[in-house]
Amino acid sequence: DQQVKQNSPSLSVQEGRISILNCDYTNSMFDYFLWYKKYPAEGPTFLISISSIKDKNEDGRFTVFLNKSAKHLSLHIVPSQPGDSAVYFCAARSFYGQNFVFGPGTRLSVLP
Amino acid sequence: SQTIHQWPATLVQPVGSPLSLECTVEGTSNPNLYWYRQAAGRGLQLLFYSVGIGQISSEVPQNLSASRPQDRQFILSSKKLLLSDSGFYLCAWRVGVGPQHFGDGTRLSIL
């Protein structure tokens, strides 16, 4: 049973446009969410996080939105750049949980 | 600043051979340590985590084991590798309630 889902395996976006990556979760106990970016043959790099007391967190070109009632979060990248091409993982953890649960990832391709 | 080292970066092993992957963290004390596997085209699967020396929790039954002989050292082992053990293995650390930080991984191919 997948507790964290990323239903789009891949996404292509034109350079300069907005990229929107989506993530859905099923466990209502999750209260802390993260996005990671991963290049081939490298470990994931932490991008941005959000706790359940917020519905938006922004860091430069990256914004994460959380809709607790829908159990949905999204990562917006504006403007998208070719260097953003990577696999993006969504992860979630509950307050009492020791570990993060990762989604399967979405491969973003930003076309020049 | 904290750094995490994993080695080797790539490894090719025959079926039935043993395995030892090592991970060390520098610049922090008493981290939580994690081993993940990413199979081809799949997400990150948590294999083991450790909250202290000698304390190992296993998330999935499998052919692998983990040990933590020192505070900042985490080892992934197998006595006899299977074809299904192929994948990309990642070590990660975390302190407090923040995000996990990953090493660059080991690409393991079983022949």
Side-chain angles (χ1 to χ4, degrees):
Chain A
D1 178 34
Q2 252 186 343
Q3 295 188 71
V4 178
K5 303 175 185 181
Q6 293 176 258
N7 291 323
S8 298
S10 62
L11 174 69
S12 291
V13 170
Q14 209 68 37
E15 181 179 4
R17 299 287 185 98
I18 184 172
S19 295
I20 300 177
L21 297 114
N22 294 303
C23 178
D24 296 288
Y25 60 96
T26 58
N27 189 339
S28 57
M29 299 301 291
F30 287 152
D31 66 351
Y32 182 55
F33 306 88
L34 306 94
W35 284 95
Y36 285 85
K37 172 180 177 180
K38 183 182 180 301
Y39 292 119
E42 293 183 10
T45 303
F46 169 68
L47 265 181
I48 192 168
S49 64
I50 188 167
S51 75
S52 59
I53 61 173
K54 290 184 165 185
D55 54 19
K56 176 183 174 181
N57 189 24
E58 198 170 348
D59 183 2
R61 294 186 299 114
F62 301 92
T63 303
V64 56
F65 294 92
L66 175 63
N67 182 334
K68 290 186 288 292
S69 60
K71 296 191 182 69
H72 176 83
L73 65 156
S74 60
L75 174 68
H76 292 211
I77 306 173
V78 183
S80 302
Q81 300 173 353
D84 296 329
S85 297
V87 176
Y88 289 78
F89 290 100
C90 167
R93 193 199 70 203
S94 65
F95 180 80
Y96 295 105
Q98 185 60 247
N99 306 315
F100 289 98
V101 179
F102 283 80
T106 296
R107 180 176 301 279
L108 173 66
S109 299
V110 180
L111 309 172
Chain B
S1 64
Q2 301 92 347
T3 56
I4 180 168
H5 302 280
Q6 265 189 260
W7 66 93
T10 58
L11 188 60
V12 180
Q13 292 282 104
V15 169
S17 63
L19 173 74
S20 180
L21 301 181
E22 192 161 338
C23 170
T24 59
V25 180
E26 296 176 1
T28 187
S29 295
N30 197 30
N32 286 359
L33 296 173
Y34 305 83
W35 278 111
Y36 286 86
R37 176 171 58 205
Q38 183 186 16
R42 305 283 296 277
L44 301 177
Q45 180 187 34
L46 179 63
L47 302 176
F48 300 95
Y49 70 92
S50 171
V51 299
I53 296 174
Q55 300 180 60
I56 308 295
S57 297
S58 173
E59 287 294 298
V60 293
Q62 59 203 306
N63 183 43
L64 302 168
S65 62
S67 61
R68 185 171 177 174
Q70 299 179 44
D71 180 46
R72 288 168 290 174
Q73 184 184 29
F74 206 22
I75 298 172
L76 184 69
S77 304
S78 174
K79 292 182 180 176
K80 280 187 178 182
L81 285 167
L82 307 172
L83 281 173
S84 57
D85 291 324
S86 292
F88 191 54
Y89 288 83
L90 288 155
C91 181
W93 66 270
R94 176 168 70 93
V95 171
V97 297
Q100 293 174 344
H101 301 278
F102 288 84
D104 281 337
T106 295
R107 170 75 57 195
L108 176 64
S109 300
I110 311 298
L111 303 178

